[in-house]
Amino acid sequence: MTGVAAVLCAATLVGSGCARFDAAQSEPFTTQPKMAAGPTTTPPPPPPLPAKPFPKECPAPGVMQGCLDSTSGLIMLPDSQSALVAERLTGAVKQVSVKAEPKVKLVIPVDPAGDGGLMDIVLSPTYAQDRLMYAYVSTPTDNRVIRIADGDVPKPILTGIPKGAGGNTGSLIFTSRTTLLVQTGDAGDPALAADPASLAGKVLRIEQPTTINQAPITTALSGLGVGGGMCVDSSDGSLYVTDRTPTADRLQRITKDSKVSTVWTWPDRPGVAGCAALEGTVLVNLVNTKKTVAVRQAPDTGAVTGDPEVVRENVRGHAWALQLSPDGNVWGATVNRTVGDAEKLDDVVFPLFPQGGGFPRTNADKT
């Protein structure tokens, strides 16, 4: 990846402040994509966040209510009662908790035009030792993956991902201590998603992502539409990917031996977003319909056992991110301000199962 531009503004450190089942198979790409030259300009820093303190009502009962702008990435912390949450439009990463006022950890300069901005965050699997965070962001000229060390300026890991008027959303996930997967949107052009030489509309595999602009990259999945989210089922290592195509939203699965299948499609296009998976059950947020649904698969065949079951509806509004917490609960983060419900609904980080019980039981458990 030599020759790719590696300039990005320093992050601004600040203190506290205010259906149907579709059995069709997809073929993964194994070719190494060509890297386009990245931008040579540096995006301007965002305006400073207001210095006024957070209102006292921000930590509302039962939620990590951080007086948030619309969210994107979510990282649950070890205590299962606090989290790091990203704001797509402002570029802020905030630490929120059920018991404390929110704090702004850092602000990353981003270009939020269209559906771009700060689109996801993830911690290094060895964060306790290396203190590294990775982010998927938009600049005025491209989408890119950056690495952020505590107290240092962001470093580009992958630049030159096509940016469009839409179709920029994407996600990040580590599948091993050294492998980072990047879901990229199609930048509004399905032809780019089908082009093996383009970085758009793909799941890209980056090995050893601490090497700036030189990490080996391969393509794990191609032909994606607007990015939704990715999640891994720890029971068998399967990767699940949600995306939105012009004809349907879908949930795809990549097994550890790289077999790709379409698990479920939604022809009514309810706006698939983040997901969480455990023992063959996949939770998926449907942004447009204010729902979270559970897609369950048979353990022996992987076949879907029935229509997706609604496990959340009209609670906390439009949710994007979805993350499993260490104590077994599942947390979501909302995008109400982005979709125009700010007057009625605040943007929060909330527990999917406030009464406990953890991940929803399988159909077999219920009988």
Side-chain angles (χ1 to χ4, degrees):
M1 295 180 59
T2 57
V4 178
V7 179
L8 191 69
C9 286
T12 304
L13 298 179
V14 295
S16 297
C18 193
R20 60 182 180 270
F21 174 68
D22 185 350
Q25 300 289 313
S26 305
E27 291 297 329
F29 279 67
T30 57
T31 55
Q32 184 159 336
K34 298 177 182 178
M35 303 300 122
T40 58
T41 58
T42 298
L49 294 178
K52 62 182 181 181
F54 287 111
K56 291 298 182 183
E57 64 270 16
C58 283
V63 303
M64 301 180 202
Q65 184 175 352
C67 297
L68 303 173
D69 204 317
S70 280
T71 64
S72 53
L74 176 66
I75 300 169
M76 292 303 300
L77 297 179
D79 65 357
S80 298
Q81 298 295 304
S82 58
L84 297 176
V85 60
E87 293 182 341
R88 182 174 68 82
L89 300 179
T90 69
V93 177
K94 294 180 177 178
Q95 183 166 344
V96 294
S97 170
V98 297
K99 298 179 180 179
E101 292 291 321
K103 296 179 180 179
V104 179
K105 182 176 176 65
L106 73 158
V107 178
I108 303 169
V110 297
D111 178 10
D115 57 358
L118 173 53
M119 296 173 284
D120 202 5
I121 54 173
V122 66
L123 295 182
S124 161
T126 53
Y127 180 78
Q129 292 76 43
D130 56 35
R131 313 301 292 180
L132 293 177
M133 175 188 293
Y134 293 80
Y136 188 47
V137 302
S138 298
T139 76
T141 53
D142 74 343
N143 297 316
R144 57 176 59 183
V145 180
I146 61 173
R147 186 196 75 191
I148 309 163
D150 284 357
D152 198 2
V153 298
K155 303 292 197 308
I157 297 301
L158 175 60
T159 61
I161 301 169
K163 180 184 177 185
N168 299 296
T169 56
S171 60
L172 304 173
I173 194 168
F174 274 94
T175 56
S176 77
R177 292 168 68 92
T178 59
T179 305
L180 175 64
L181 298 188
V182 185
Q183 178 191 24
T184 68
D186 65 2
D189 184 354
L192 291 177
D195 182 356
S198 172
L199 296 176
K202 309 288 191 298
V203 173
L204 304 171
R205 184 184 294 110
I206 306 178
E207 299 294 344
Q208 300 288 351
T210 57
T211 305
I212 301 169
N213 275 329
Q214 295 181 359
I217 296 175
T218 56
T219 302
L221 182 63
S222 191
L224 298 181
V226 177
M230 296 187 291
C231 54
V232 171
D233 188 334
S234 60
S235 66
D236 64 4
S238 292
L239 173 74
Y240 292 91
V241 183
T242 65
D243 73 318
R244 310 175 187 184
T245 74
T247 58
D249 292 355
R250 60 185 174 178
L251 171 67
Q252 296 188 83
R253 178 190 185 194
I254 308 177
T255 62
K256 291 202 73 172
D257 56 359
S258 299
K259 293 180 180 178
V260 181
S261 61
T262 299
V263 177
W264 194 264
T265 60
W266 289 266
D268 55 339
R269 303 176 65 200
V272 296
C275 63
L278 186 64
E279 297 180 353
T281 295
V282 188
L283 301 179
V284 181
N285 275 338
L286 308 179
V287 174
N288 300 341
T289 56
K290 304 181 186 178
K291 295 179 182 179
T292 304
V293 297
V295 180
R296 295 195 173 97
Q297 302 165 89
D300 50 347
T301 65
V304 174
T305 58
D307 288 346
E309 176 189 348
V310 176
V311 297
R312 178 193 66 94
E313 184 172 11
N314 292 324
V315 176
R316 304 298 178 188
H318 308 268
W320 187 282
L322 204 59
Q323 290 291 328
L324 183 65
S325 58
D327 66 358
N329 207 335
V330 183
W331 292 73
T334 64
V335 290
N336 295 317
R337 294 181 185 275
T338 298
V339 299
D341 271 349
E343 293 184 2
K344 298 179 291 182
L345 298 166
D346 195 7
D347 275 319
V348 300
V349 176
F350 68 96
L352 200 62
F353 307 108
Q355 304 305 317
F359 217 87
R361 295 178 297 171
T362 65
N363 289 328
D365 292 329
K366 292 180 175 181
T367 59

